[in-house]
Each structure stands twice: as structure tokens, then as C-alpha cells.
Amino acid sequence: MIRQKKKKAGLLLVFVFCAWSGYAQVPSKPVDAFTLRAGYNHNRDKNTAFLGGGYLVGDYFWASVTFYGGVHYLRHDGTHRFVPEIGVDFHAVMVMAGLAVTPYSVQPKAGLSLLSIANVTAGYSIPFGREQFFKGFTLGVQFQLPVIDRR
């Protein structure tokens, strides 16, 4: 019985090593591009649409960094509001982490990334100032498409 478990563990280890070796052979494509960024965020009772631009540098698959800026559109107390945001996202394989800053809050976030093009994030908005448009947990989906490749 113990011999069978050791054999299975050994086969699993060989399988993982072979899979990782093949994964390491994936060709990478360096990127240096300006992007168009669109997204949707949900925070407490607010839904916002986001539109902006960014600068993506690194590699689509292994690791990249995106510096971005844009505007959130939301309805607050019966009025239409536009809230500017700047931020940075770090992508590594299929995970991402980032930080976004608005005039009303700071939001650290983490999530999943598909080739630095589509992100699903969860974060926490820390408000400051009198107006608290963003406060507490947030969920978001962002898409960024390269529009000008500088290579």
C-alpha cells in the first residue's frame, strides 16, 4: 500500500516537472504599447463604467506592467458624475495586483489576468476627504487592447 502511494507520488512529480518544462518553452512576445482601457466596477450600491488609456510594457505572457489613467462614470444622488483615476497594474502569468488612486480614494486590488488583456479584480477602496464615492470592497472587470505598438 505504501509502495503504491510512493509510486503515484513519483509519477505525479514527473508529470508536474514535464508539464512545467513544456510550459517554460512557451515563446514570449515582448510588448511596448499604448492601450485603450475599458471596464466596469461595482462598489457597494454603485456601478461605474471606466474608459481610459494606458501604457503596457513587458511581456504578454510572463510579466508586464500597465500604467493607466481614465475616467469613471457614475450616477450619484441623481446626478451624473465623472471621477478621474490613475493607477498601475502588475501582471505575472495569470495573476495581477494593482493600485488605483482617485481624488476620493485609494484602492489596492488583486485578481486574475488573461494575457494582460482581460482582468477580473477584487479590491478595497479606502476613502479620504468629505465625499466618499468609493468605499469598501469592489469588484471589477477591465479590458485593455493595444492600439499603438512602439516596437
Side-chain angles (χ1 to χ4, degrees), residues 4 21 25 35 38 47 62 76 79 118 122 134 140:
Q4 222 174 14
S21 295
Q25 303 295 326
T35 63
N47 297 313
W62 291 109
H76 180 70
T79 62
F134 306 109

Side-chain angles (χ1 to χ4, degrees), residues 112-130:
L112 298 175
S113 176
L114 179 64
L115 299 175
S116 304
I117 294 174
N119 303 320
V120 177
T121 61
Y124 191 83
S125 289
I126 303 163
F128 52 83
R130 274 193 286 145

Side-chain angles (χ1 to χ4, degrees), residues 13-125:
L13 186 61
V14 168
F15 175 75
V16 168
F17 177 75
C18 290
W20 183 256
S21 295
Y23 188 65
Q25 303 295 326
V26 172
S28 61
K29 181 180 177 188
V31 63
D32 180 9
F34 289 100
T35 63
L36 179 62
R37 186 176 178 102
Y40 165 82
N41 288 325
H42 176 76
N43 178 257
R44 289 188 318 188
D45 58 344
K46 293 179 191 67
N47 297 313
T48 68
F50 180 84
L51 187 62
Y55 177 67
L56 176 65
V57 64
D59 181 291
Y60 278 120
F61 189 75
W62 291 109
S64 65
V65 177
T66 303
F67 301 96
Y68 68 90
V71 176
H72 285 277
Y73 166 76
L74 67 133
R75 267 185 78 85
H76 180 70
D77 292 335
T79 62
H80 300 280
R81 300 295 300 246
F82 293 94
V83 180
E85 175 181 294
I86 59 170
V88 61
D89 289 343
F90 301 95
H91 308 268
V93 184
M94 291 188 66
V95 295
M96 62 87 54
L99 182 70
V101 179
T102 72
Y104 308 106
S105 67
V106 170
Q107 179 193 38
K109 56 187 172 180
L112 298 175
S113 176
L114 179 64
L115 299 175
S116 304
I117 294 174
N119 303 320
V120 177
T121 61
Y124 191 83
S125 289

